[in-house]
Amino acid sequence: MWRGDRCDFSPWLERRSTRPRWDFAGLPARLDVPLAGQALTAGTGALSAEAPALLRIVHRYALGDDDILQGRPRDTCGEACDFVMDKGLARRRQGLRDQPVQGTRQVQLPGLAPDGRLSDLGPRVHLEIAEPADVDVVVMVGQNDDGRDAGSVRYSDLDEMVRFGLSRVDWAAVEAELAAQATQVVGLAVDARGDAIYWCADDRFTIRRGDPAGLESGELLGRGRYRLPATRIGVDVVAVARALDRPGAQVIAWYDDGHVGRGEPGDLRGAARPEPYRPAPGRTYADLAGVVVTQAGEAIALYRDGAASFGTITDLAAHGHGRFTGRDPADVDALALAPDGRLFILYRDGSVEVGDLAAFERAE
């Protein structure tokens, strides 16, 4: 049972149920993660947790069909827990590793009906696909509502279709995008010692001595992986700001799912659950270029069209609107406000400009 921040396997461990309930029946409150539809049904349940959360679950816990080990932490049962729950495809993790991970294979897929939908009635399409190397595939299907057997050929077709889709992926482009994330700054702050902290889209942060001068500038003090809420990854971070109104190293992170949370530089999750936030009216998270929090606790947000708003961390425009007087707001990667009032503006070309909060003009 997915409870928003953890997966509860106690019903299975207590043998009250021998199969996972992907419809999330019995959940005490509605899920606060995106759903594929409006209702919590068997079909949408498996899609309720986004990929990072789903992968974290299947790597941390053994998800079997009716095996007595299901729900056990993998590190407590060794190779006995070396399987995944495929919801009808019953392909064990060990079997995946034993199969060739690269090369070509023949697949048969359903053909298309005249209206463009997949059809089981016409001739099947025979294709040769290239299996990607070093790619783990887990296919999960919610089949409770359709009345068909889980082991039917239709569910085997889903496995083939997923693999066909993977064979059409430009993996070189994927690798290039992942490499670019290592230098894509999604958050910037100045810590209590006056050193610069950079959060990048690859889930890693870098600390360099002194004022922010660019991701690769300054003496390297530390680099590591930062932790995020279960359904978020680095590219989902919209902005990070040091909470200058709080003692210690607390930082605030805004995400592209409309939530904001408090944490620390190496762990953005924090103890409290993230809360919803609102940008200025008529704008979305995609319009945000950066956010800073003043010592008075006011959040100041910069938008890519040069607009600014003043408010709280959950209502970015609660105190009013204004304009940014600095250059090229569309090219801003991140903002950082130091305790002495200096404002650091990091641009996409790696350059950094230093100003102050006078760069934000409030509207009359």
Side-chain angles (χ1 to χ4, degrees):
M1 184 179 296
W2 183 247
R3 297 187 182 275
D5 58 355
R6 63 188 178 90
C7 198
D8 179 11
F9 289 96
S10 57
W12 306 336
L13 293 177
E14 296 168 7
R15 307 303 295 160
R16 294 202 302 266
S17 170
T18 59
R19 289 180 179 271
R21 286 294 302 268
W22 289 106
D23 55 0
F24 296 94
L27 200 65
R30 187 175 179 85
L31 290 172
D32 57 355
V33 293
L35 299 176
Q38 296 300 314
L40 290 176
T41 67
T44 61
L47 299 177
S48 294
E50 295 183 13
L54 184 59
L55 291 176
R56 180 171 296 180
I57 291 170
V58 299
H59 281 87
R60 185 174 298 175
Y61 301 99
L63 299 183
D65 201 2
D66 54 3
D67 195 288
I68 62 172
L69 294 174
Q70 69 173 339
R72 299 287 179 87
R74 290 189 185 277
D75 58 5
T76 66
C77 48
E79 293 185 359
C81 288
D82 197 14
F83 55 81
V84 296
M85 172 60 189
D86 287 342
K87 293 293 289 176
L89 294 177
R91 188 182 299 276
R92 292 182 179 271
R93 240 172 135 212
Q94 187 66 43
L96 277 173
R97 283 205 295 266
D98 289 342
Q99 293 177 350
V101 295
Q102 192 170 20
T104 60
R105 64 190 292 248
Q106 303 291 327
V107 299
Q108 297 183 34
L109 300 178
L112 294 178
D115 61 2
R117 292 182 297 177
L118 290 174
S119 172
D120 296 324
L121 302 178
R124 300 179 71 78
V125 178
H126 295 256
L127 296 170
E128 181 177 85
I129 66 172
E131 288 272 44
D134 303 321
V135 176
D136 292 331
V137 181
V138 178
V139 181
M140 294 191 176
V141 182
Q143 79 277 10
N144 291 349
D145 290 345
D146 63 13
R148 294 183 293 194
D149 291 334
S152 71
V153 67
R154 293 167 181 82
Y155 291 106
S156 297
D157 286 345
L158 287 173
D159 188 30
E160 300 286 35
M161 281 187 260
V162 169
R163 293 175 183 277
F164 170 74
L166 290 174
S167 75
R168 294 298 190 265
V169 173
D170 184 347
W171 293 103
V174 171
E175 291 296 332
E177 181 175 345
L178 292 176
Q181 290 176 4
T183 59
Q184 179 186 345
V185 177
V186 296
L188 177 65
V190 177
D191 68 15
R193 299 181 302 272
D195 298 322
I197 308 175
Y198 304 84
W199 289 268
C200 289
D202 65 346
D203 297 10
R204 296 182 181 276
F205 71 102
T206 299
I207 304 176
R208 293 192 178 274
R209 188 180 303 280
D211 294 340
L215 181 61
E216 302 300 328
S217 299
E219 179 187 349
L220 179 65
L221 298 179
R223 179 173 285 157
R225 186 174 294 277
Y226 61 90
R227 306 184 73 177
L228 294 123
T231 59
R232 300 292 90 197
I233 57 177
V235 293
D236 301 325
V237 177
V238 175
V240 182
R242 183 179 168 198
L244 292 179
D245 60 326
R246 302 288 181 94
Q250 187 178 105
V251 296
I252 302 166
W254 290 263
Y255 303 98
D256 66 359
D257 66 345
H259 285 78
V260 57
R262 295 178 182 269
E264 297 181 351
D267 190 347
L268 299 182
R269 299 173 305 169
R273 297 184 64 176
E275 303 174 83
Y277 76 90
R278 293 182 298 179
R283 291 177 171 83
T284 70
Y285 70 86
D287 300 316
L288 279 168
V291 184
V292 296
V293 176
T294 70
Q295 291 181 327
E298 184 174 52
I300 303 177
L302 168 64
Y303 302 89
R304 300 201 180 279
D305 65 352
S309 65
F310 307 84
T312 66
I313 67 170
T314 55
D315 188 351
L316 295 177
H319 303 161
H321 306 270
R323 298 292 302 175
F324 176 66
T325 61
R327 71 173 178 88
D328 302 327
D331 293 328
V332 171
D333 254 356
L335 302 174
L337 183 63
D340 62 7
R342 288 180 299 160
L343 176 70
F344 295 89
I345 307 168
L346 174 66
Y347 289 90
R348 290 180 181 174
D349 63 3
S351 63
V352 177
E353 289 190 356
V354 185
D356 54 35
L357 291 181
F360 299 100
E361 289 185 350
R362 296 177 188 260
E364 296 294 335

